[in-house]
Structure formats: C-alpha cells, structure tokens
Amino acid sequence: MGQVIGITGGIASGKTTVGELIRAAGFLVIDADQVAQELIASPSIVHELAERFGSRILNRDGSLNRAQLSQIVFGHASKLQILNELTQPVIRQQLLAQMDAARAGESKVFFEIPLLFEQHYERLVDQIVVVSVPEQQQLTRLMQRNGFTKAQARVRINSQLPIAQKCQRADFVLDNTQGPHELAQQVQALLTQI
C-alpha cells in the first residue's frame, strides 16, 4: 500500500501550482477540485441543486451555472451547509475510491484538496503539506485571479479555516510568498524528504 500525502492551503495560496510541480516530477496527484467539479456537473446532482436553490442556478442548456450557485451560497452559512450536505457525500465516496485505487498501484500518491481539514480528510492521509501565503497576498491573488471585489474575496477566504491554523497541523509547510522559482525549489526539497 502506497503512502498518501495531502496537499492543502487556503484559496489562491498556490496548491494547484504545487500539484502541477509534483505531477511534473512523475508522481500521481488526485485533484479534489476537479473531481468535485465533474461530479457536481452530473445531471442528477444538478437536478438536486436546482430543486434546492431554484432554476436560477441553471444555464439555458440546463447545465449548472457555478458562478450563480457560488453567489448564492458564499456568505450564507446555512445555504453553504445545504450545498455541502448535498454534494460532499458523493464527492467523498469518489475521492476515497480514487485514493484506494491509486494507493494500491503507487508508492506515493498526492491528494490536492482545499478543504482537507474542513471536510476531515486529514484522517485519511499519511502526511499533510500546507501551501502558505500571508492573508493580504492571498486576498490580492484571489481578486486578480477571479476578478472578485475585496468583499467577495474576503467571503471566500473566511469560508475556510485560516492558513495559520492549517500550518499548525501540517507535517510540511511550503512558503509561497517569493515566487515560482522558490516554490519549485521547496517542492523539490519536499519530494526528497517524503
């Protein structure tokens, strides 16, 4: 059985970049966001979401309008909880199946998941890597990347456990304040340690 290493951090902290660097080094990386997006777009889940949140979350072709759904749930704890109750069990089941299959065939599997602590996946991984940036840098990156206002970005950041708390629970912390070259060096050092 292979070792599973969880990669987490806050939104816009650089988890995806770290995942890409690890993938480029020849390791398998399971991207929880990608799995979740595919599952949430499935007709059965879209139907359930439309039942709960109304047809305004649908595009004209009946597909999910993720931006509209995000606008409805972020900043509204009860609506976000409903979304999580509908989607997280299905996402968890798929992620666990992928993790088990990968663990059987690989010596090391990386599991990139933004909500590792929030959804209690920490019990399912052998080690945890947190990608860290200061909150102001995180806020700026998120605003630039997604075109959010400061208030919209702050709501997204506040919906997750603070990065500082994630760092306290990590086996490894990658500091993503300097830039891509420095981050790549840290990833290389990480890969030699685990």
Side-chain angles (χ1 to χ4, degrees):
M1 284 297 239
Q3 182 182 29
V4 177
I5 300 102
I7 304 168
T8 194
I11 188 170
S13 63
K15 296 175 304 299
T16 301
T17 302
V18 168
E20 289 168 357
L21 290 165
I22 292 171
R23 199 174 281 115
F27 293 93
L28 176 63
V29 179
I30 298 171
D31 181 346
D33 269 353
Q34 183 180 356
V35 171
Q37 286 175 24
E38 290 169 7
L39 288 172
I40 289 174
S42 71
S44 60
I45 298 286
V46 171
H47 177 75
E48 281 189 60
L49 293 173
E51 293 267 318
R52 287 296 184 110
F53 297 107
S55 60
R56 63 187 173 182
I57 65 160
L58 301 176
N59 292 312
R60 287 192 175 149
D61 64 0
S63 63
L64 181 64
N65 182 326
R66 294 185 65 223
Q68 183 64 34
L69 179 61
S70 294
Q71 192 172 16
I72 291 169
V73 300
F74 282 104
H76 303 280
S78 63
K79 291 178 182 177
L80 184 57
Q81 182 177 350
I82 291 168
L83 174 64
N84 284 332
E85 286 172 358
L86 286 172
T87 60
Q88 285 304 322
V90 178
I91 293 168
R92 187 179 196 88
Q93 181 180 12
Q94 180 65 28
L95 289 174
L96 292 178
Q98 286 192 21
M99 194 187 311
D100 287 345
R103 180 180 260 166
E106 302 281 338
S107 61
K108 286 185 177 58
V109 178
F110 291 84
F111 184 42
E112 181 190 330
I113 180 164
L115 302 177
L116 185 136
F117 294 112
E118 293 87 343
Q119 293 296 329
H120 307 292
Y121 286 94
E122 70 274 18
R123 302 176 200 135
L124 306 174
V125 299
D126 301 303
Q127 293 184 305
I128 298 171
V129 177
V130 172
V131 184
S132 176
V133 291
E135 189 174 324
Q136 186 56 49
Q137 192 172 7
Q138 181 185 20
L139 185 67
T140 301
R141 285 180 181 177
L142 185 56
M143 289 167 62
Q144 290 172 348
R145 185 186 80 187
N146 292 55
F148 289 154
T149 64
K150 191 173 188 175
Q152 289 171 320
R154 175 93 38 221
V155 166
R156 298 311 196 281
I157 290 169
N158 291 342
S159 73
Q160 298 181 349
L161 192 66
I163 290 179
Q165 289 181 31
K166 292 181 181 191
C167 288
Q168 291 172 354
R169 299 168 68 181
D171 297 297
F172 301 95
V173 176
L174 302 178
D175 179 0
N176 191 17
T177 57
Q178 299 303 309
H181 180 70
E182 290 78 2
L183 184 61
Q185 288 180 326
Q186 291 179 64
V187 169
Q188 279 306 119
L190 171 72
L191 293 174
T192 63
Q193 292 178 55
I194 54 175

